[in-house]
Amino acid sequence: MARKGEVQIINPPSDVISTVKFAPKTNQFLLVSSWDTSVRLYDVVNNTLRHKFFHSSPVLDCAFLDSVKTVSGGLDNTVKLYDLNTHIEHNLGTHDAAVKCVEYASMVNGILTGSWDRTVKLWDGREKECVGTYDQNAGKVYSMSCIEERLVVATSDRKVLIWDLRHMSNYVERRESSLKYQTRTVRCFPNKEGYVMSSIEGRVALEYFNPSPEWQKKKFAFKCHRSKQNDIEHIYPVNAISFHNVYNTFASGGSDGFVNIWDGFNKKRLCQFHMYDSSISSLCFSDDGSALAIACSYMDEAETPPEPYPEPILYVRYVSEQEMRPK
């Protein structure tokens, strides 16, 4: 149920919401991909579903190239371009397994796709062709994030590969994840100093790009999205992270149904929102940081599903400066 300062979006997908992404430079338009095979565009200001199109299988990720062009990928192994104005779709190409991640890399004006086939591909959106395939050291791509020339790829074997998009002949660095368990998501800091990653075991790590010992001393990990009931600690996956571009603070969303806001540089939790309907599957701040899209989807975490079975729900929360600004 939506609370004050929050809007529940009508006509949500009918299956797990994989990704929510705001359009560039606006908090009005939201792109949403789902396991129901759809990609949807919402006008959140008017709370309307503006458009939807489909893949042949569940969609795992989506992104805007600009205000009207999108890219999406999923279990059909296909990378799809879609023009929201003309409604023309174009299959850009394929991977040999599911497409887990799609990103627009503005610095090289290209599209990056990461796959369970253990590669990242770079595509030229104008020429509509693949211009490079990069092996990810034998790890399936679970999450990736790029900021300017840096690309960070988190893989299935708890490795993190750091690439320079200007020189893709080899990765710049290969790191071991500082989290003991499977990586769920990785996101680069807006200030370009490093990245945050989360795992299935209620933990988040902050890492820095600079290899010097004084910078590496600053890295740390912390426990979150956990609860104690009858002296038993329940530990939940941290499924989603999104940065606030203005303050470099970030939101985390977990299978406990909570969203927390963190000031990573000062190692503080700034606030926690109310408990949501089910697991938080995806989060996205608008570019200006005024709105946070929150996707709730039950992801089969429990041995026996809850009754009644939770439906996917989408919220947009209009956040206050007080909640987001470092104290």
Side-chain angles (χ1 to χ4, degrees):
M1 195 182 91
R3 314 278 175 104
K4 189 172 183 286
E6 232 174 45
V7 177
Q8 184 175 336
I9 302 301
I10 55 177
N11 288 319
S14 59
D15 204 342
V16 171
I17 298 165
S18 51
T19 305
V20 289
K21 292 266 177 79
F22 273 107
K25 300 181 178 57
T26 177
N27 62 7
Q28 180 167 6
F29 296 108
L30 185 70
L31 197 66
V32 177
S33 60
S34 168
W35 280 72
D36 71 2
T37 77
S38 75
V39 179
R40 295 162 188 246
L41 179 74
Y42 294 92
D43 174 342
V44 300
V45 172
N46 296 301
N47 202 346
T48 53
L49 173 61
R50 286 285 290 266
H51 191 62
K52 66 179 171 182
F53 61 92
F54 294 91
H55 282 243
S56 58
S57 297
V59 189
L60 301 182
D61 203 8
C62 61
F64 281 97
L65 308 185
D66 57 30
S67 57
V68 295
K69 292 189 185 69
T70 70
V71 59
S72 47
L75 292 181
D76 57 8
N77 306 359
T78 302
V79 181
K80 193 185 284 279
L81 288 180
Y82 195 89
D83 188 310
L84 296 163
N85 272 352
T86 61
H87 302 173
I88 291 170
E89 62 179 67
H90 180 87
N91 286 346
L92 192 55
T94 58
H95 277 267
D96 294 335
V99 180
K100 178 63 174 68
C101 314
V102 299
E103 290 261 329
Y104 174 61
S106 55
M107 185 166 216
V108 293
N109 193 17
I111 296 157
L112 292 160
T113 56
S115 168
W116 293 344
D117 70 5
R118 298 175 161 78
T119 68
V120 166
K121 290 188 177 188
L122 177 62
W123 309 81
D124 182 327
R126 284 172 308 185
E127 298 297 327
K128 299 186 171 51
E129 62 183 12
C130 179
V131 292
T133 301
Y134 310 102
D135 179 68
Q136 297 304 303
N137 215 247
K140 292 180 181 178
V141 177
Y142 278 179
S143 184
M144 65 185 196
S145 179
C146 70
I147 185 140
E148 294 192 359
E149 77 280 3
R150 288 191 197 272
L151 169 67
V152 179
V153 182
T155 68
S156 54
D157 51 5
R158 293 182 45 257
K159 296 288 187 287
V160 178
L161 299 178
I162 299 166
W163 297 78
D164 183 332
L165 291 171
R166 300 164 303 183
H167 313 288
M168 290 291 282
S169 52
N170 205 348
Y171 51 80
V172 177
E173 198 181 344
R174 185 181 80 151
R175 295 181 179 181
E176 186 91 10
S177 165
S178 49
L179 304 173
K180 282 188 299 203
Y181 294 90
Q182 186 190 93
T183 306
R184 262 293 146 92
T185 188
V186 65
R187 287 289 171 264
C188 293
F189 303 163
N191 70 5
K192 308 189 262 307
E193 286 178 0
Y195 56 90
V196 169
M197 58 194 297
S198 70
S199 78
I200 58 170
E201 185 247 352
R203 227 178 259 265
V204 166
L206 270 85
E207 300 271 350
Y208 291 89
F209 291 128
N210 191 323
S212 73
E214 70 197 82
W215 276 88
Q216 287 306 308
K217 264 200 315 226
K218 296 181 185 182
K219 73 176 192 179
F220 69 99
F222 60 92
K223 296 175 182 177
C224 52
H225 297 281
R226 297 169 177 228
S227 66
K228 255 206 165 108
Q229 291 158 19
N230 306 326
D231 284 339
I232 296 169
E233 188 175 38
H234 294 262
I235 300 172
Y236 299 91
V238 184
N239 305 313
I241 288 171
S242 183
F243 270 97
H244 191 283
N245 285 333
V246 182
Y247 295 124
N248 279 290
T249 50
F250 64 92
S252 67
S255 290
D256 56 349
F258 283 103
V259 175
N260 293 316
I261 307 296
W262 306 93
D263 173 2
F265 297 103
N266 296 309
K267 303 185 181 180
K268 274 186 190 158
R269 184 168 80 177
L270 296 174
C271 70
Q272 182 178 67
F273 301 160
H274 62 85
M275 191 175 183
Y276 286 88
D277 310 69
S278 57
S279 304
I280 308 298
S281 58
S282 184
L283 294 168
C284 184
F285 277 109
S286 57
D287 276 354
D288 67 355
S290 64
L292 176 63
I294 301 166
C296 307
S297 304
Y298 175 65
M299 296 189 289
D300 294 323
E301 293 98 338
E303 284 177 43
T304 51
E307 288 287 336
Y309 194 87
E311 296 293 324
I313 302 181
L314 260 177
Y315 296 101
V316 171
R317 183 182 178 100
Y318 294 96
V319 295
S320 68
E321 197 174 337
Q322 197 182 346
E323 291 169 322
M324 299 299 135
R325 194 176 58 209
K327 303 275 190 288

